[in-house]
Amino acid sequence: MEASFFSGRSDRRVAETQSDAYHAMPVKLLAAKQQMVIDAFRDGRPPLTREDIAAITNLKLSSVCGRVRELLDAGRLVVVGTRKDLATQTKQQLLGIAPKAVA
């Protein structure tokens, strides 16, 4: 059985394998992917879902979700609303750049 840990930054439960993968990722690469997510909001785009960001950046959805969580925790992105996915009938968070992050 896999052990669970809590992230010190977000107070969320993370699996041991998830924690290992995060710490194995080079900091330089991590920052580049975060910048790709931020760049998806340039050119006056409206709020985006994680799936929208994945389509714009050509990153895997799982990678986008991790980078979005980090950027939300850091205060660089904010949740600005929700919308219903027509295919799955579930709510999706709409994300935008935090006002202080626009510089």
Side-chain angles (χ1 to χ4, degrees), residues 51 82-92:
E51 289 181 351
T82 60
R83 79 172 181 205
K84 193 175 204 177
D85 184 340
L86 299 176
T88 63
Q89 301 299 312
T90 59
K91 287 185 182 179
Q92 296 179 321

Side-chain angles (χ1 to χ4, degrees), residues 32-93:
K33 288 186 179 182
Q34 286 178 343
Q35 189 60 50
M36 288 175 71
V37 170
I38 293 293
D39 289 344
F41 291 92
R42 300 288 186 233
D43 303 324
R45 287 196 174 108
L48 302 170
T49 66
R50 287 167 175 82
E51 289 181 351
D52 295 336
I53 296 167
I56 291 167
T57 62
N58 290 323
L59 292 172
K60 290 182 180 180
L61 182 59
S62 59
S63 182
V64 168
C65 290
R67 303 309 67 84
V68 165
R69 170 52 44 207
E70 293 163 359
L71 292 166
L72 285 168
D73 290 347
R76 304 260 325 200
L77 290 181
V78 292
V79 177
V80 295
T82 60
R83 79 172 181 205
K84 193 175 204 177
D85 184 340
L86 299 176
T88 63
Q89 301 299 312
T90 59
K91 287 185 182 179
Q92 296 179 321
Q93 288 181 328

